[in-house]
Amino acid sequence: MTEPARFSQPYYAVAWHGDINGHLRILDQTRLPSEIVYRDCKTVEEVWQAIRSLQVRGAPAIGIAAAYGVVLAAQQATQPGGPDAVLKACDYLATSRPTAVNLFWALNRMRQVVGRVHYGNVRDLQNALLREAHAIRDEDAAMCRRIARVGAQLIHDGMGILTHCNTGALATAEYGTALGCIFFAAEEGKRIQIYADETRPLLQGARLTVWELMQRHIPVTLICDNMAAVLMRQKRVQLVLVGADRIAANGDTANKIGTYGLAVLARAHGISFYVAAPSSTFDLALPDGKGIPIEERDPREITEPLGCRIAPEGAVAFNPAFDVTPAELITGIITERGIIKPLTHATIANVLGSPRKSKEADQ
Ligand code: MRU
């Protein structure tokens, strides 16, 4: 039996190595928990592939990786077509995954850098893009710390908390969103018991969330996704805490497939259901969740999980990677600007500002 890989220092899902001539290093999440493998991405195509294949995943981390991917594209850009090549790279990276809006948010920031100034030479553009990518990364780290502090107030000594998918340091610049709240509460000395859904089909809960909690010695019990109702019935769970990939202006929230079912169960059992997400995950141009594009992935992720066939050859499988939880099932959303509760267009706009142009619209 292989021991889970262990770090003696903080781990980063995404990190830039070197100066403007440097490269992006990602922690390959498809290899966790058994192996710690870093991959160096030196081209925009390698970043696209890393996002598509979930080597880097989680809404904020995808956005950060894409921003650094634009820097890699700029390294190859030559005068005088440099800015156009960079904009094309933004278009290309935007096709890597459709649901997490942080990807489009980050790419739009990179596009604005290209549009903002008339650059005398390509080196100026490259430096400005690297500065922006670093800013996106650093701002996400700061937002996660604030979300954690705010969200930890909802966590009380002795609580059982159910979470889904992975929302920790692996999904963000550092620390995490929903899992960040849990880390913070544990650091405050609160005794908590976490239940982690395994999160079929790609098992981010089993492989990544359990691993992150074990790294921090926080008590965690892994369950299959279909066991949540029993736990709730047995009163072992007092709070459900999840992340988000895109939140519409009314609070409808797209997150990993299975989240909606958990929200229904939480309501049926009278349990609070909170979402934790940075402001970069809101898409206020969408009035509600109906417009959120849902990624459909290869059915073989279901029929042949981890390369092992479990269904008959030719079996038909449906594999949406996300679902949308209606706002009325969500108790509140924990953001870096405070907790939004109850969820209405008005309470959300109060905290985040008024609706703006679609994050995809600038492409
Ligand atoms: O397909 P994934 O692994 O990228 O899905 C990730 C999730 O659904 C997370 O819950 C979400 O991105 C929030 S990460 C802080």
CSV table of all heavy atoms in Angstrom, one decimal, residues 201-259:
chain,number,residue,atom,x,y,z
A,201,PRO,N,-17.4,11.8,-10.7
A,201,PRO,CA,-16.6,10.7,-11.1
A,201,PRO,C,-15.1,10.8,-10.9
A,201,PRO,O,-14.3,9.8,-10.9
A,201,PRO,CB,-16.9,10.5,-12.6
A,201,PRO,CG,-17.1,11.9,-13.1
A,201,PRO,CD,-17.8,12.6,-11.9
A,202,LEU,N,-14.6,12.1,-10.7
A,202,LEU,CA,-13.1,12.2,-10.7
A,202,LEU,C,-12.5,12.3,-9.3
A,202,LEU,O,-11.3,12.5,-9.1
A,202,LEU,CB,-12.7,13.5,-11.5
A,202,LEU,CG,-13.1,13.3,-13.0
A,202,LEU,CD1,-12.6,14.6,-13.8
A,202,LEU,CD2,-12.4,12.1,-13.6
A,203,LEU,N,-13.4,12.1,-8.3
A,203,LEU,CA,-12.9,11.9,-6.9
A,203,LEU,C,-12.1,13.0,-6.3
A,203,LEU,O,-11.1,12.7,-5.5
A,203,LEU,CB,-12.2,10.5,-6.9
A,203,LEU,CG,-13.0,9.3,-7.4
A,203,LEU,CD1,-12.1,8.1,-7.5
A,203,LEU,CD2,-14.2,9.1,-6.6
A,204,GLN,N,-12.4,14.2,-6.6
A,204,GLN,CA,-11.6,15.3,-6.0
A,204,GLN,C,-11.7,15.3,-4.5
A,204,GLN,O,-10.8,15.7,-3.8
A,204,GLN,CB,-12.1,16.7,-6.6
A,204,GLN,CG,-11.8,16.9,-8.0
A,204,GLN,CD,-12.9,16.5,-9.0
A,204,GLN,OE1,-13.6,15.6,-8.7
A,204,GLN,NE2,-13.0,17.2,-10.1
A,205,GLY,N,-12.9,14.9,-4.0
A,205,GLY,CA,-13.1,14.8,-2.5
A,205,GLY,C,-12.1,13.8,-1.9
A,205,GLY,O,-11.4,14.0,-1.0
A,206,ALA,N,-12.2,12.6,-2.5
A,206,ALA,CA,-11.4,11.5,-1.9
A,206,ALA,C,-9.9,11.7,-2.1
A,206,ALA,O,-9.1,11.5,-1.2
A,206,ALA,CB,-11.8,10.2,-2.6
A,207,ARG,N,-9.5,12.2,-3.3
A,207,ARG,CA,-8.1,12.3,-3.6
A,207,ARG,C,-7.5,13.5,-3.0
A,207,ARG,O,-6.3,13.5,-2.6
A,207,ARG,CB,-7.9,12.2,-5.1
A,207,ARG,CG,-8.3,10.9,-5.8
A,207,ARG,CD,-7.9,10.9,-7.2
A,207,ARG,NE,-8.5,12.0,-8.0
A,207,ARG,CZ,-7.9,13.1,-8.4
A,207,ARG,NH1,-6.6,13.2,-8.2
A,207,ARG,NH2,-8.5,14.0,-9.1
A,208,LEU,N,-8.2,14.7,-3.1
A,208,LEU,CA,-7.6,16.0,-2.8
A,208,LEU,C,-8.1,16.5,-1.5
A,208,LEU,O,-7.2,17.0,-0.7
A,208,LEU,CB,-8.0,16.9,-3.9
A,208,LEU,CG,-7.7,16.4,-5.4
A,208,LEU,CD1,-8.1,17.4,-6.4
A,208,LEU,CD2,-6.2,16.1,-5.5
A,209,THR,N,-9.4,16.5,-1.2
A,209,THR,CA,-9.9,17.1,0.1
A,209,THR,C,-9.4,16.3,1.3
A,209,THR,O,-8.9,16.9,2.3
A,209,THR,CB,-11.4,17.3,0.0
A,209,THR,OG1,-11.7,18.1,-1.0
A,209,THR,CG2,-12.0,17.8,1.3
A,210,VAL,N,-9.6,15.0,1.2
A,210,VAL,CA,-9.1,14.2,2.3
A,210,VAL,C,-7.6,14.4,2.5
A,210,VAL,O,-7.1,14.5,3.6
A,210,VAL,CB,-9.5,12.7,2.1
A,210,VAL,CG1,-8.8,11.8,3.1
A,210,VAL,CG2,-11.0,12.6,2.1
A,211,TRP,N,-6.9,14.4,1.4
A,211,TRP,CA,-5.4,14.6,1.5
A,211,TRP,C,-5.1,16.0,2.2
A,211,TRP,O,-4.2,16.0,3.1
A,211,TRP,CB,-4.8,14.6,0.1
A,211,TRP,CG,-3.4,14.7,0.0
A,211,TRP,CD1,-2.4,13.7,0.3
A,211,TRP,CD2,-2.6,15.9,-0.3
A,211,TRP,NE1,-1.2,14.2,0.1
A,211,TRP,CE2,-1.3,15.5,-0.3
A,211,TRP,CE3,-3.0,17.2,-0.7
A,211,TRP,CZ2,-0.3,16.5,-0.6
A,211,TRP,CZ3,-2.0,18.1,-1.0
A,211,TRP,CH2,-0.6,17.7,-0.9
A,212,GLU,N,-5.7,17.0,1.7
A,212,GLU,CA,-5.4,18.3,2.3
A,212,GLU,C,-5.8,18.4,3.8
A,212,GLU,O,-5.0,19.0,4.6
A,212,GLU,CB,-6.2,19.5,1.6
A,212,GLU,CG,-5.7,19.8,0.2
A,212,GLU,CD,-5.9,21.2,-0.3
A,212,GLU,OE1,-5.3,22.1,0.3
A,212,GLU,OE2,-6.8,21.4,-1.2
A,213,LEU,N,-6.9,17.8,4.2
A,213,LEU,CA,-7.3,17.8,5.6
A,213,LEU,C,-6.3,16.9,6.4
A,213,LEU,O,-5.9,17.3,7.5
A,213,LEU,CB,-8.7,17.3,5.8
A,213,LEU,CG,-9.8,18.3,5.3
A,213,LEU,CD1,-11.1,17.6,5.0
A,213,LEU,CD2,-9.9,19.5,6.3
A,214,MET,N,-5.9,15.8,5.9
A,214,MET,CA,-4.9,15.0,6.6
A,214,MET,C,-3.6,15.7,6.7
A,214,MET,O,-2.9,15.5,7.7
A,214,MET,CB,-4.8,13.6,5.9
A,214,MET,CG,-6.0,12.7,6.1
A,214,MET,SD,-5.9,11.2,5.1
A,214,MET,CE,-4.6,10.3,6.0
A,215,GLN,N,-3.2,16.4,5.7
A,215,GLN,CA,-1.9,17.2,5.8
A,215,GLN,C,-1.9,18.1,7.1
A,215,GLN,O,-0.9,18.4,7.7
A,215,GLN,CB,-1.7,18.1,4.6
A,215,GLN,CG,-1.5,17.4,3.3
A,215,GLN,CD,-0.2,16.7,3.1
A,215,GLN,OE1,0.9,17.3,3.5
A,215,GLN,NE2,-0.2,15.5,2.7
A,216,ARG,N,-3.2,18.6,7.4
A,216,ARG,CA,-3.3,19.5,8.5
A,216,ARG,C,-3.8,18.8,9.8
A,216,ARG,O,-4.2,19.5,10.7
A,216,ARG,CB,-4.3,20.6,8.1
A,216,ARG,CG,-3.7,21.6,7.0
A,216,ARG,CD,-4.8,22.5,6.4
A,216,ARG,NE,-4.2,23.4,5.5
A,216,ARG,CZ,-3.7,24.6,5.7
A,216,ARG,NH1,-3.7,25.0,7.0
A,216,ARG,NH2,-3.2,25.3,4.8
A,217,HIS,N,-3.9,17.5,9.7
A,217,HIS,CA,-4.3,16.8,10.9
A,217,HIS,C,-5.7,17.2,11.4
A,217,HIS,O,-6.0,17.2,12.6
A,217,HIS,CB,-3.3,16.9,12.1
A,217,HIS,CG,-1.9,16.5,11.6
A,217,HIS,ND1,-1.5,15.3,11.4
A,217,HIS,CD2,-0.9,17.3,11.3
A,217,HIS,CE1,-0.3,15.3,10.9
A,217,HIS,NE2,0.2,16.5,10.9
A,218,ILE,N,-6.6,17.5,10.5
A,218,ILE,CA,-8.0,17.8,10.8
A,218,ILE,C,-8.8,16.5,10.6
A,218,ILE,O,-8.8,15.9,9.5
A,218,ILE,CB,-8.5,18.9,9.9
A,218,ILE,CG1,-7.7,20.2,10.1
A,218,ILE,CG2,-10.0,19.2,10.2
A,218,ILE,CD1,-8.0,21.4,9.2
A,219,PRO,N,-9.6,16.1,11.6
A,219,PRO,CA,-10.4,14.9,11.5
A,219,PRO,C,-11.3,14.9,10.3
A,219,PRO,O,-12.1,15.7,10.1
A,219,PRO,CB,-11.2,14.8,12.8
A,219,PRO,CG,-10.4,15.7,13.8
A,219,PRO,CD,-9.8,16.8,12.9
A,220,VAL,N,-11.1,13.9,9.4
A,220,VAL,CA,-12.0,13.8,8.2
A,220,VAL,C,-12.4,12.3,8.0
A,220,VAL,O,-11.6,11.4,8.2
A,220,VAL,CB,-11.2,14.4,7.0
A,220,VAL,CG1,-9.9,13.7,6.7
A,220,VAL,CG2,-12.1,14.3,5.7
A,221,THR,N,-13.6,12.2,7.6
A,221,THR,CA,-14.2,10.9,7.3
A,221,THR,C,-14.7,10.9,5.8
A,221,THR,O,-15.4,11.8,5.5
A,221,THR,CB,-15.3,10.5,8.2
A,221,THR,OG1,-14.8,10.5,9.5
A,221,THR,CG2,-15.9,9.1,7.9
A,222,LEU,N,-14.2,10.0,5.0
A,222,LEU,CA,-14.6,10.0,3.6
A,222,LEU,C,-15.9,9.2,3.5
A,222,LEU,O,-16.0,8.1,4.1
A,222,LEU,CB,-13.5,9.3,2.8
A,222,LEU,CG,-13.7,9.0,1.3
A,222,LEU,CD1,-13.9,10.3,0.6
A,222,LEU,CD2,-12.6,8.1,0.8
A,223,ILE,N,-16.8,9.8,2.7
A,223,ILE,CA,-18.0,9.0,2.4
A,223,ILE,C,-18.3,9.0,0.9
A,223,ILE,O,-17.8,9.8,0.2
A,223,ILE,CB,-19.3,9.6,3.1
A,223,ILE,CG1,-19.5,11.1,2.6
A,223,ILE,CG2,-19.2,9.6,4.6
A,223,ILE,CD1,-20.9,11.6,2.9
A,224,CYS,N,-19.0,8.0,0.5
A,224,CYS,CA,-19.5,8.0,-0.9
A,224,CYS,C,-20.6,9.0,-1.1
A,224,CYS,O,-21.2,9.4,-0.1
A,224,CYS,CB,-20.1,6.6,-1.3
A,224,CYS,SG,-18.9,5.3,-1.1
A,225,ASP,N,-20.7,9.6,-2.3
A,225,ASP,CA,-21.6,10.7,-2.5
A,225,ASP,C,-23.1,10.3,-2.0
A,225,ASP,O,-23.8,11.2,-1.6
A,225,ASP,CB,-21.7,11.1,-3.9
A,225,ASP,CG,-20.3,11.6,-4.4
A,225,ASP,OD1,-19.5,12.0,-3.5
A,225,ASP,OD2,-20.1,11.6,-5.6
A,226,ASN,N,-23.4,9.0,-2.1
A,226,ASN,CA,-24.8,8.6,-1.8
A,226,ASN,C,-25.0,8.3,-0.4
A,226,ASN,O,-26.1,7.8,0.0
A,226,ASN,CB,-25.2,7.4,-2.7
A,226,ASN,CG,-24.2,6.3,-2.6
A,226,ASN,OD1,-23.2,6.4,-1.8
A,226,ASN,ND2,-24.4,5.3,-3.4
A,227,MET,N,-24.1,8.7,0.5
A,227,MET,CA,-24.3,8.5,1.9
A,227,MET,C,-24.6,9.7,2.7
A,227,MET,O,-24.9,9.7,3.9
A,227,MET,CB,-22.9,7.9,2.5
A,227,MET,CG,-22.6,6.6,1.9
A,227,MET,SD,-21.0,6.0,2.4
A,227,MET,CE,-20.8,4.5,1.5
A,228,ALA,N,-24.7,10.9,2.0
A,228,ALA,CA,-24.9,12.1,2.8
A,228,ALA,C,-26.3,12.1,3.5
A,228,ALA,O,-26.3,12.6,4.7
A,228,ALA,CB,-24.9,13.3,1.8
A,229,ALA,N,-27.3,11.6,2.9
A,229,ALA,CA,-28.6,11.6,3.5
A,229,ALA,C,-28.6,10.9,4.9
A,229,ALA,O,-29.2,11.3,5.9
A,229,ALA,CB,-29.7,11.0,2.6
A,230,VAL,N,-27.9,9.8,4.9
A,230,VAL,CA,-27.9,9.0,6.1
A,230,VAL,C,-27.2,9.7,7.2
A,230,VAL,O,-27.6,9.8,8.4
A,230,VAL,CB,-27.2,7.6,5.8
A,230,VAL,CG1,-26.8,6.9,7.1
A,230,VAL,CG2,-28.1,6.7,5.0
A,231,LEU,N,-26.1,10.4,6.9
A,231,LEU,CA,-25.3,11.2,7.9
A,231,LEU,C,-26.2,12.3,8.4
A,231,LEU,O,-26.2,12.6,9.6
A,231,LEU,CB,-24.1,11.9,7.2
A,231,LEU,CG,-22.8,11.1,7.0
A,231,LEU,CD1,-21.8,12.1,6.4
A,231,LEU,CD2,-22.4,10.5,8.3
A,232,MET,N,-27.0,12.9,7.6
A,232,MET,CA,-27.8,14.0,8.0
A,232,MET,C,-28.9,13.5,8.9
A,232,MET,O,-29.2,14.1,10.0
A,232,MET,CB,-28.4,14.7,6.8
A,232,MET,CG,-27.4,15.5,6.0
A,232,MET,SD,-28.2,16.4,4.6
A,232,MET,CE,-26.7,17.0,3.8
A,233,ARG,N,-29.5,12.4,8.5
A,233,ARG,CA,-30.6,11.8,9.3
A,233,ARG,C,-30.0,11.4,10.7
A,233,ARG,O,-30.7,11.5,11.7
A,233,ARG,CB,-31.0,10.5,8.6
A,233,ARG,CG,-32.1,9.8,9.2
A,233,ARG,CD,-33.4,10.1,8.6
A,233,ARG,NE,-34.5,9.6,9.3
A,233,ARG,CZ,-35.7,9.5,8.8
A,233,ARG,NH1,-36.0,10.0,7.7
A,233,ARG,NH2,-36.7,9.0,9.6
A,234,GLN,N,-28.8,11.0,10.7
A,234,GLN,CA,-28.2,10.6,12.0
A,234,GLN,C,-27.7,11.8,12.8
A,234,GLN,O,-27.0,11.6,13.9
A,234,GLN,CB,-27.0,9.6,11.8
A,234,GLN,CG,-27.4,8.3,11.2
A,234,GLN,CD,-26.2,7.4,10.9
A,234,GLN,OE1,-25.1,7.8,10.8
A,234,GLN,NE2,-26.5,6.1,10.6
A,235,LYS,N,-27.9,13.0,12.3
A,235,LYS,CA,-27.6,14.2,13.0
A,235,LYS,C,-26.1,14.4,13.2
A,235,LYS,O,-25.6,15.0,14.2
A,235,LYS,CB,-28.3,14.4,14.3
A,235,LYS,CG,-29.8,14.3,14.1
A,235,LYS,CD,-30.6,15.0,15.2
A,235,LYS,CE,-32.1,15.0,15.1
A,235,LYS,NZ,-32.6,15.4,13.8
A,236,ARG,N,-25.3,13.8,12.3
A,236,ARG,CA,-23.9,13.9,12.4
A,236,ARG,C,-23.3,15.2,11.7
A,236,ARG,O,-22.2,15.5,11.8
A,236,ARG,CB,-23.2,12.7,11.8
A,236,ARG,CG,-23.5,11.4,12.6
A,236,ARG,CD,-22.3,10.5,12.4
A,236,ARG,NE,-22.7,9.3,11.8
A,236,ARG,CZ,-21.8,8.3,11.5
A,236,ARG,NH1,-20.5,8.5,11.7
A,236,ARG,NH2,-22.2,7.2,10.9
A,237,VAL,N,-24.2,15.8,10.9
A,237,VAL,CA,-23.8,17.0,10.1
A,237,VAL,C,-24.7,18.2,10.5
A,237,VAL,O,-25.9,18.1,10.5
A,237,VAL,CB,-24.0,16.7,8.6
A,237,VAL,CG1,-23.8,18.0,7.8
A,237,VAL,CG2,-23.1,15.6,8.1
A,238,GLN,N,-24.0,19.3,10.9
A,238,GLN,CA,-24.7,20.5,11.3
A,238,GLN,C,-24.6,21.6,10.2
A,238,GLN,O,-25.2,22.7,10.3
A,238,GLN,CB,-24.3,21.0,12.6
A,238,GLN,CG,-24.8,20.2,13.8
A,238,GLN,CD,-24.0,18.9,14.0
A,238,GLN,OE1,-22.8,18.9,13.9
A,238,GLN,NE2,-24.7,17.8,14.1
A,239,LEU,N,-23.6,21.4,9.3
A,239,LEU,CA,-23.4,22.5,8.3
A,239,LEU,C,-22.9,21.8,7.0
A,239,LEU,O,-22.0,20.9,7.1
A,239,LEU,CB,-22.3,23.4,8.9
A,239,LEU,CG,-21.7,24.5,8.0
A,239,LEU,CD1,-22.8,25.6,7.7
A,239,LEU,CD2,-20.5,25.2,8.7
A,240,VAL,N,-23.4,22.3,5.9
A,240,VAL,CA,-22.8,21.9,4.6
A,240,VAL,C,-22.1,23.1,4.0
A,240,VAL,O,-22.6,24.2,4.0
A,240,VAL,CB,-23.9,21.4,3.6
A,240,VAL,CG1,-23.2,21.0,2.3
A,240,VAL,CG2,-24.7,20.3,4.2
A,241,LEU,N,-20.8,22.9,3.6
A,241,LEU,CA,-20.0,24.1,3.2
A,241,LEU,C,-19.3,23.6,1.9
A,241,LEU,O,-18.6,22.7,1.8
A,241,LEU,CB,-19.0,24.3,4.3
A,241,LEU,CG,-18.2,25.6,4.3
A,241,LEU,CD1,-19.1,26.8,4.2
A,241,LEU,CD2,-17.4,25.7,5.6
A,242,VAL,N,-19.6,24.4,0.8
A,242,VAL,CA,-19.1,24.0,-0.5
A,242,VAL,C,-18.5,25.3,-1.2
A,242,VAL,O,-18.8,26.4,-0.7
A,242,VAL,CB,-20.2,23.4,-1.4
A,242,VAL,CG1,-20.7,22.1,-0.8
A,242,VAL,CG2,-21.3,24.4,-1.7
A,243,GLY,N,-17.9,25.1,-2.3
A,243,GLY,CA,-17.3,26.2,-3.1
A,243,GLY,C,-18.3,26.5,-4.3
A,243,GLY,O,-19.4,26.1,-4.3
A,244,ALA,N,-17.7,27.2,-5.2
A,244,ALA,CA,-18.6,27.6,-6.4
A,244,ALA,C,-17.7,27.8,-7.6
A,244,ALA,O,-16.5,28.2,-7.5
A,244,ALA,CB,-19.4,28.9,-6.1
A,245,ASP,N,-18.3,27.6,-8.8
A,245,ASP,CA,-17.6,27.8,-10.0
A,245,ASP,C,-18.1,29.1,-10.8
A,245,ASP,O,-17.5,29.7,-11.5
A,245,ASP,CB,-17.6,26.6,-11.0
A,245,ASP,CG,-16.7,25.5,-10.4
A,245,ASP,OD1,-17.2,24.8,-9.5
A,245,ASP,OD2,-15.6,25.5,-10.8
A,246,ARG,N,-19.4,29.3,-10.5
A,246,ARG,CA,-20.0,30.6,-11.1
A,246,ARG,C,-21.3,30.8,-10.3
A,246,ARG,O,-22.1,29.9,-10.2
A,246,ARG,CB,-20.3,30.4,-12.6
A,246,ARG,CG,-20.6,31.7,-13.3
A,246,ARG,CD,-21.0,31.5,-14.7
A,246,ARG,NE,-20.0,31.0,-15.6
A,246,ARG,CZ,-19.7,31.5,-16.8
A,246,ARG,NH1,-20.4,32.6,-17.2
A,246,ARG,NH2,-18.8,31.0,-17.6
A,247,ILE,N,-21.5,32.1,-9.9
A,247,ILE,CA,-22.7,32.5,-9.2
A,247,ILE,C,-23.4,33.6,-9.9
A,247,ILE,O,-22.8,34.6,-10.3
A,247,ILE,CB,-22.3,33.0,-7.8
A,247,ILE,CG1,-21.5,31.9,-7.0
A,247,ILE,CG2,-23.6,33.3,-7.0
A,247,ILE,CD1,-20.9,32.4,-5.7
A,248,ALA,N,-24.7,33.4,-10.3
A,248,ALA,CA,-25.4,34.4,-11.0
A,248,ALA,C,-25.9,35.5,-10.1
A,248,ALA,O,-25.8,35.4,-8.9
A,248,ALA,CB,-26.6,33.7,-11.7
A,249,ALA,N,-26.5,36.5,-10.7
A,249,ALA,CA,-26.8,37.7,-9.9
A,249,ALA,C,-27.9,37.5,-8.9
A,249,ALA,O,-28.0,38.2,-7.9
A,249,ALA,CB,-27.3,38.8,-10.9
A,250,ASN,N,-28.7,36.4,-9.0
A,250,ASN,CA,-29.7,36.1,-8.0
A,250,ASN,C,-29.2,35.1,-6.9
A,250,ASN,O,-29.9,34.7,-6.1
A,250,ASN,CB,-30.9,35.5,-8.6
A,250,ASN,CG,-30.7,34.1,-9.2
A,250,ASN,OD1,-29.6,33.7,-9.4
A,250,ASN,ND2,-31.8,33.4,-9.4
A,251,GLY,N,-27.9,34.6,-7.1
A,251,GLY,CA,-27.4,33.7,-6.1
A,251,GLY,C,-27.4,32.2,-6.6
A,251,GLY,O,-26.8,31.4,-5.9
A,252,ASP,N,-28.1,31.9,-7.7
A,252,ASP,CA,-28.0,30.5,-8.2
A,252,ASP,C,-26.5,30.2,-8.4
A,252,ASP,O,-25.8,31.0,-9.0
A,252,ASP,CB,-28.7,30.4,-9.6
A,252,ASP,CG,-30.2,30.5,-9.5
A,252,ASP,OD1,-30.7,30.6,-8.3
A,252,ASP,OD2,-30.9,30.6,-10.5
A,253,THR,N,-26.1,29.0,-8.0
A,253,THR,CA,-24.7,28.7,-7.9
A,253,THR,C,-24.3,27.4,-8.6
A,253,THR,O,-24.9,26.3,-8.3
A,253,THR,CB,-24.3,28.6,-6.4
A,253,THR,OG1,-24.4,29.9,-5.8
A,253,THR,CG2,-22.8,28.1,-6.3
A,254,ALA,N,-23.4,27.5,-9.6
A,254,ALA,CA,-22.9,26.3,-10.2
A,254,ALA,C,-21.7,25.8,-9.4
A,254,ALA,O,-20.8,26.6,-9.1
A,254,ALA,CB,-22.4,26.6,-11.7
A,255,ASN,N,-21.7,24.6,-9.1
A,255,ASN,CA,-20.5,23.9,-8.5
A,255,ASN,C,-20.5,22.5,-8.9
A,255,ASN,O,-21.4,22.0,-9.7
A,255,ASN,CB,-20.7,24.1,-6.9
A,255,ASN,CG,-19.4,23.7,-6.2
A,255,ASN,OD1,-18.3,24.1,-6.6
A,255,ASN,ND2,-19.5,22.8,-5.2
A,256,LYS,N,-19.5,21.8,-8.4
A,256,LYS,CA,-19.3,20.4,-8.8
A,256,LYS,C,-20.6,19.6,-8.8
A,256,LYS,O,-21.4,19.7,-7.8
A,256,LYS,CB,-18.2,19.8,-7.9
A,256,LYS,CG,-17.9,18.3,-8.1
A,256,LYS,CD,-17.5,18.0,-9.6
A,256,LYS,CE,-16.3,18.9,-10.1
A,256,LYS,NZ,-16.2,18.8,-11.6
A,257,ILE,N,-20.8,18.7,-9.8
A,257,ILE,CA,-22.0,17.9,-9.9
A,257,ILE,C,-22.2,17.2,-8.5
A,257,ILE,O,-21.2,16.6,-7.9
A,257,ILE,CB,-21.9,16.9,-11.0
A,257,ILE,CG1,-23.2,16.1,-11.3
A,257,ILE,CG2,-20.7,15.9,-10.8
A,257,ILE,CD1,-24.2,17.0,-12.0
A,258,GLY,N,-23.4,17.2,-8.0
A,258,GLY,CA,-23.7,16.6,-6.7
A,258,GLY,C,-24.0,17.7,-5.7
A,258,GLY,O,-24.7,17.4,-4.7
A,259,THR,N,-23.6,18.9,-6.0
A,259,THR,CA,-23.9,20.0,-5.0
A,259,THR,C,-25.4,20.2,-4.8
A,259,THR,O,-25.9,20.4,-3.7
A,259,THR,CB,-23.1,21.3,-5.4
A,259,THR,OG1,-21.7,21.0,-5.6
A,259,THR,CG2,-23.3,22.4,-4.4
